[in-house]
Amino acid sequence: MGTVIVGIILICVVGFIIKNMIKDKRAGKSIQCGKDCKNCSGHCH
């Protein structure tokens, strides 16, 4: 039972992280560009 609970918690955390990464990408932020794609010359994509 404990394994199932930990698994569910991990799935929720990973889902939250992916959701934030998608939201940041749509807002013009990217990890490769230091979260500032406006000043990126295109080498980050």
Side-chain angles (χ1 to χ4, degrees):
M1 186 67 174
T3 304
V4 173
I5 293 171
V6 170
I8 291 171
I9 291 171
L10 284 175
I11 289 171
C12 290
V13 169
V14 170
F16 179 74
I17 291 169
I18 291 172
K19 182 181 135 188
N20 281 339
M21 288 173 68
I22 292 170
K23 185 178 121 185
D24 284 347
K25 186 71 173 172
R26 287 184 181 164
K29 299 176 183 176
S30 175
I31 294 171
Q32 293 90 357
C33 297
K35 293 201 173 226
D36 190 14
C37 285
K38 291 180 285 187
N39 296 324
C40 179
S41 61
H43 66 278
C44 299
H45 306 281

